Amino acid sequence: MARNRRVLLLPGDGIGPEVVGQARRVLEGLGTGFEIEEGQVGGASIDAHGTPLTDATLARAKAADAVLLGAVGGPKWDKLDFANKPERGLLRLRKELDLFANLRPAICFAALVEASTLKPEVVGGLDIMIVRELTGGVYFGQPRGIETLANGERRGVNTQVYTTSEIRRVAAVAFELARKRGRKVCSADKANVMESGVLWREEVQKLHDETYGDVELGHMYADNCAMQLVRDPKQFDVIVTDNLFGDILSDEAGMLTGSLGMLPSASLGAADASGFRRALYEPVHGSAPDIAGREIANPIAAILSLAMMLRYSLDMAAAADHLESAVRRVLDGGARTADIMGPGKVQVSTARMGDLVMGELTKQAA
Ligand code: IPM
Ligand code: MG
């Protein structure tokens, strides 16, 4: 008999517990083949253990088949030392699990075309994938810190740094994904001002010429890419970019879909000999402390993150398809959480949205 798959849930802070709670119900509804565990991360872990990620939780994440994280951070912990902030818990997880490839799909559901601030003809049918490098660049580069100079001025330093192998492994993920989609990759960098950007561009091009000649490759400066994303987002298929530009461009792409509340993500490590990849799934939206605890948050990003987990970690592509079409039908039916509410639609709570998705899944199964 196949062993149960171990899924670790780390709800975290703000709306994290509310949205992960709905994803958990959906996962439980999928059957008994899972061992579902829960742990703490971010501010929740700081309050309980004095650190945003304990070694024990890290060990459980390493042992799990997949991790689903809600969100971290909030005003309560804003004044903490940089090294002890909730965000450090997430960054440490990414780094220690070596989750170098962050997949952030931006899909505009037909039912939500009106929810975007952009014109329907610009975003209708949009389906792009941002592949963000996640364990390198300025997020982790040394030296870093704040120092006081002899003249009393203070100086803040961060380092943007990439090596050949870091660039090639994330670019390979982007090319492989493109082969299963529209066979087009756009690489975004700032090769016009940064040496690390020159290297990025050269290495992506080299890898393309060696191995991925069947995929169309273009390069864009990251600022132009930001502009093109709102001007004509449908020109893109897969965008590959570094950690910082990817952070920014993926938030921007999120708004094209109507709401950040719709956006799932997957962070993947390298495949081992058996094909297993460490992976962490999380909604892109963050902890949204202003609406936390009010049961109005949109659980769809967390539920779609679960769908990505089924597809990329648990070898359950058919279940992932079912879940995604269940979400689509719920939206077609007119139910909306506050963030995607529109005229003539029915506003529902976080839990009610979960109920509706579960209801559609059961209908499909029947
Ligand atoms: C994201 C977030 C994180 C990041 C924060 C919470 C550390 O903005 O996942 O995009 O900057 O990577
Ligand atoms: Mg971000």
Side-chain angles (χ1 to χ4, degrees), residues 177-199:
L177 281 168
R179 276 185 173 161
K180 298 189 188 128
R181 302 171 39 101
R183 290 189 173 262
K184 232 168 91 175
V185 171
C186 173
S187 171
D189 60 46
K190 282 291 285 177
N192 51 346
V193 284
M194 294 158 97
E195 283 78 1
S196 60
V198 173
L199 185 76

Side-chain angles (χ1 to χ4, degrees), residues 94 104 132 139 243-244 246-248 250-251 260 284-286:
R94 289 173 178 171
R104 297 189 163 185
R132 166 187 177 193
Y139 271 60
N243 205 342
L244 182 62
D247 182 43
I248 297 166
S250 63
D251 263 32
L260 267 186
V284 174
H285 50 58

Side-chain angles (χ1 to χ4, degrees), residues 51-82:
T51 166
L53 180 72
T54 63
D55 292 341
T57 304
L58 177 61
R60 286 166 78 199
K62 283 186 175 167
D65 289 296
V67 181
L68 177 66
L69 184 143
V72 295
K76 180 172 175 196
W77 307 281
D78 267 357
K79 287 186 191 63
L80 286 177
D81 233 31
F82 198 69

Side-chain angles (χ1 to χ4, degrees), residues 9-63:
L9 305 179
L10 299 174
D13 308 324
I15 60 172
E18 292 159 62
V19 299
V20 170
Q22 297 310 314
R24 179 182 186 131
R25 291 176 60 206
V26 173
L27 179 60
E28 285 168 347
L30 289 173
T32 52
F34 309 103
E35 218 171 286
I36 306 175
E37 303 171 27
E38 264 193 45
Q40 285 161 327
V41 70
S45 176
I46 293 173
D47 290 350
H49 309 289
T51 166
L53 180 72
T54 63
D55 292 341
T57 304
L58 177 61
R60 286 166 78 199
K62 283 186 175 167

Side-chain angles (χ1 to χ4, degrees), residues 66-336:
V67 181
L68 177 66
L69 184 143
V72 295
K76 180 172 175 196
W77 307 281
D78 267 357
K79 287 186 191 63
L80 286 177
D81 233 31
F82 198 69
N84 300 318
K85 276 194 195 305
E87 287 79 1
R88 278 283 123 196
L90 174 58
L91 296 172
R92 183 166 174 227
L93 265 176
R94 289 173 178 171
K95 190 69 176 173
E96 298 251 1
L97 300 183
D98 203 14
L99 307 172
F100 63 89
N102 182 214
L103 279 44
R104 297 189 163 185
I107 295 172
C108 184
F109 286 82
L112 290 187
V113 165
E114 301 294 337
S116 176
T117 49
L118 276 86
K119 294 193 187 97
E121 63 268 28
V122 174
V123 294
L126 179 75
D127 179 356
I128 60 183
M129 175 71 89
I130 297 193
V131 180
R132 166 187 177 193
E133 199 291 325
L134 202 61
T135 51
V138 74
Y139 271 60
F140 295 97
Q142 296 287 345
R144 64 185 297 157
I146 299 177
E147 60 190 8
T148 303
L149 304 175
N151 66 3
E153 265 215 294
R154 296 205 303 155
R155 194 169 88 117
V157 180
N158 290 91
T159 303
Q160 167 77 333
V161 54
Y162 273 106
T163 60
T164 311
S165 59
E166 285 176 316
I167 299 166
R168 288 175 67 99
R169 65 181 184 171
V170 72
V173 170
F175 286 127
E176 294 287 343
L177 281 168
R179 276 185 173 161
K180 298 189 188 128
R181 302 171 39 101
R183 290 189 173 262
K184 232 168 91 175
V185 171
C186 173
S187 171
D189 60 46
K190 282 291 285 177
N192 51 346
V193 284
M194 294 158 97
E195 283 78 1
S196 60
V198 173
L199 185 76
W200 182 279
R201 189 171 285 221
E202 287 176 2
E203 291 302 331
V204 172
Q205 186 66 50
K206 241 192 261 173
L207 179 67
H208 169 268
D209 298 349
E210 287 163 20
T211 317
Y212 295 103
D214 55 313
V215 177
E216 184 185 327
L217 171 65
H219 302 274
M220 247 182 218
Y221 295 133
D223 53 344
N224 182 30
C225 183
M227 187 268 280
Q228 295 295 338
L229 265 175
V230 285
R231 193 186 72 86
D232 176 22
K234 284 186 264 183
Q235 71 184 282
F236 297 108
D237 177 28
V238 175
I239 295 176
V240 62
T241 189
D242 78 9
N243 205 342
L244 182 62
F245 301 143
D247 182 43
I248 297 166
L249 294 176
S250 63
D251 263 32
E252 189 190 6
M255 253 339 272
L256 303 174
T257 69
S259 166
L260 267 186
M262 296 295 301
L263 250 75
S265 79
S267 304
L268 308 176
D272 69 13
S274 71
F276 170 75
R277 288 175 183 273
R278 289 231 168 89
L280 178 134
Y281 299 84
E282 57 179 309
V284 174
H285 50 58
S287 62
D290 50 322
I291 61 162
R294 291 167 51 197
E295 271 295 319
I296 59 170
N298 187 348
I300 292 180
I303 290 171
L304 292 176
S305 297
L306 176 66
M308 292 187 86
M309 179 192 292
L310 298 173
R311 179 170 293 119
Y312 293 109
S313 285
L314 304 179
D315 201 19
M316 297 173 69
D321 289 345
H322 280 148
L323 183 49
E324 286 164 357
S325 54
V327 168
R328 198 178 305 267
R329 279 201 309 279
V330 168
L331 294 172
D332 288 343
R336 299 284 188 273

